[in-house]
Amino acid sequence: DTAVSQTPKYLVTQMGNDKSIKCEQNLGHDTMYWYKQDSKKFLKIMFSYNNKELIINETVPNRFSPKSPDKAHLNLHINSLELGDSAVYFCASSQDGAGRTDTQYFGPGTRLTVL
Amino acid sequence: AQSVTQLGSHVSVSEGALVLLRCNYSSSVPPYLFWYVQYPNQGLQLLLKYTSAATLVKGINGFEAEFKKSETSFHLTKPSAHMSDAAEYFCAVSSYTGGGNKLTFGTGTQLKVEL
């Protein structure tokens, strides 16, 4: 009964390929997020969706395209992968994306390695 | 823009000793602050959060943090370290931007607990 799950856990691919990471939450939350953690463990938000609608896009290259088929799912598709995309990608969810005190619940992460 | 600074990227303590992890914030509005812990190869887990209800916040696993406006600080403490506390700790500030809420993280502090 994992609250926020991501697949796959590990992803190794070649430069130029296209790949997707899937995220699902069973908490009934309205808002979902994607964060990127680089090799120095610095975490930065990429996107957030509220009820399937994009509300935050933090100047991420348009090779990254999030898709939310319903409010329990937020997938991340990456086109033309580059070496610099290698990182750990975390999905998170919160009850209400407008509440600054809301707790964000994180998934286990997907480690992407681009060769 | 709101930000947090974590002093000390690595902290080492003996088992049973006091744990003190430092976090200072910068915010033009009353801040809402969070401490998350990341165990190796896992996602982030909330330890505690400050939402202005009380300046001393108690969290899970015996951790607590005190909000000090005069010092713009939100340091994390635990009276007695346990081997299981070894992990990466992140301080974060919540901000509202473009219709949504996001967390801005510090650079993290790696806690090592020695026998």
Coordinates of all heavy atoms in Angstrom, one line a residue, chain A residues 41, chain B residues 11 21 37-40 83-89 109-113:
Chain A
K41 N 23.2 16.0 -4.9 CA 22.0 15.8 -4.1 C 21.2 17.1 -3.9 O 20.3 17.2 -3.1 CB 22.4 15.3 -2.7 CG 23.0 13.9 -2.7 CD 22.9 13.1 -1.5 CE 23.4 11.7 -1.7 NZ 23.3 10.9 -0.5
Chain B
V11 N 28.1 16.5 8.8 CA 28.2 16.5 10.3 C 28.4 15.1 10.8 O 27.7 14.2 10.4 CB 26.9 17.1 10.9 CG1 26.9 17.0 12.4 CG2 26.8 18.6 10.5
L21 N 21.7 20.2 13.4 CA 21.9 20.5 12.0 C 21.3 21.9 11.8 O 20.1 22.2 12.1 CB 21.1 19.5 11.2 CG 21.5 18.0 11.4 CD1 20.7 17.1 10.5 CD2 23.0 17.8 11.2
V37 N 14.1 14.0 5.7 CA 15.3 13.1 5.8 C 15.2 12.1 4.6 O 14.2 11.7 4.2 CB 15.3 12.3 7.2 CG1 14.0 11.4 7.3 CG2 16.5 11.4 7.3
Q38 N 16.4 11.9 4.1 CA 16.6 10.9 3.0 C 17.6 9.8 3.4 O 18.8 10.1 3.5 CB 17.0 11.6 1.7 CG 17.1 10.7 0.5 CD 17.5 11.4 -0.7 OE1 18.2 12.5 -0.7 NE2 17.2 10.9 -1.9
Y39 N 17.1 8.6 3.6 CA 18.0 7.5 3.8 C 18.5 7.0 2.5 O 17.9 7.2 1.4 CB 17.2 6.4 4.6 CG 16.7 6.8 5.9 CD1 15.4 7.1 6.1 CD2 17.6 6.9 7.0 CE1 14.9 7.6 7.4 CE2 17.1 7.4 8.2 CZ 15.8 7.7 8.4 OH 15.4 8.1 9.6
P40 N 19.7 6.3 2.5 CA 20.3 5.9 1.2 C 19.4 5.2 0.3 O 18.6 4.3 0.7 CB 21.4 5.0 1.7 CG 21.7 5.5 3.1 CD 20.4 5.9 3.7
M83 N 22.5 5.2 15.7 CA 23.1 4.8 14.4 C 22.1 4.9 13.3 O 22.5 5.3 12.1 CB 23.6 3.4 14.5 CG 24.8 3.2 15.5 SD 26.3 4.1 15.0 CE 26.8 3.1 13.6
S84 N 20.9 4.7 13.5 CA 19.9 4.7 12.5 C 19.6 6.1 12.0 O 18.8 6.3 11.0 CB 18.6 4.0 13.0 OG 18.1 4.7 14.1
D85 N 20.1 7.1 12.7 CA 19.9 8.5 12.2 C 20.8 8.9 11.1 O 20.6 10.0 10.5 CB 20.1 9.5 13.4 CG 19.1 9.3 14.5 OD1 17.9 9.0 14.2 OD2 19.5 9.5 15.7
A86 N 21.8 8.1 10.7 CA 22.7 8.4 9.7 C 21.9 8.5 8.3 O 21.3 7.5 7.9 CB 23.8 7.3 9.5
A87 N 21.9 9.7 7.7 CA 21.1 9.9 6.5 C 21.5 11.3 6.1 O 22.3 12.1 6.6 CB 19.6 9.9 6.9
E88 N 20.8 11.7 5.0 CA 20.9 13.1 4.4 C 19.7 13.9 4.9 O 18.6 13.4 4.8 CB 20.9 13.1 2.9 CG 21.2 14.4 2.2 CD 22.7 14.6 2.1 OE1 23.5 13.7 2.0 OE2 23.1 15.8 1.9
Y89 N 19.9 15.1 5.4 CA 18.8 15.9 5.9 C 18.7 17.2 5.1 O 19.7 17.9 4.9 CB 19.1 16.2 7.4 CG 19.0 15.0 8.3 CD1 20.0 14.1 8.4 CD2 17.8 14.8 9.0 CE1 19.9 13.0 9.2 CE2 17.7 13.6 9.8 CZ 18.7 12.7 9.9 OH 18.6 11.6 10.7
T109 N 22.5 18.2 4.4 CA 23.6 17.9 5.4 C 23.6 16.4 5.6 O 22.6 15.8 5.9 CB 23.3 18.6 6.7 OG1 23.3 20.0 6.6 CG2 24.4 18.2 7.7
Q110 N 24.8 15.8 5.3 CA 25.0 14.4 5.5 C 25.3 14.2 7.0 O 26.4 14.7 7.5 CB 26.1 13.9 4.6 CG 26.4 12.4 4.8 CD 25.4 11.5 4.0 OE1 25.1 11.8 2.9 NE2 25.0 10.5 4.6
L111 N 24.5 13.4 7.7 CA 24.8 13.1 9.1 C 25.4 11.7 9.2 O 24.9 10.7 8.8 CB 23.5 13.2 10.0 CG 23.7 12.8 11.4 CD1 24.6 13.8 12.2 CD2 22.3 12.7 12.1
K112 N 26.6 11.7 9.9 CA 27.3 10.4 10.1 C 27.3 10.2 11.6 O 27.6 11.1 12.4 CB 28.7 10.5 9.6 CG 29.5 9.2 9.7 CD 30.9 9.4 9.1 CE 31.7 8.1 9.3 NZ 33.1 8.3 8.7
V113 N 26.9 9.0 12.0 CA 26.9 8.6 13.5 C 27.9 7.6 13.7 O 27.9 6.5 13.1 CB 25.5 8.2 13.9 CG1 25.5 7.9 15.4 CG2 24.5 9.2 13.6

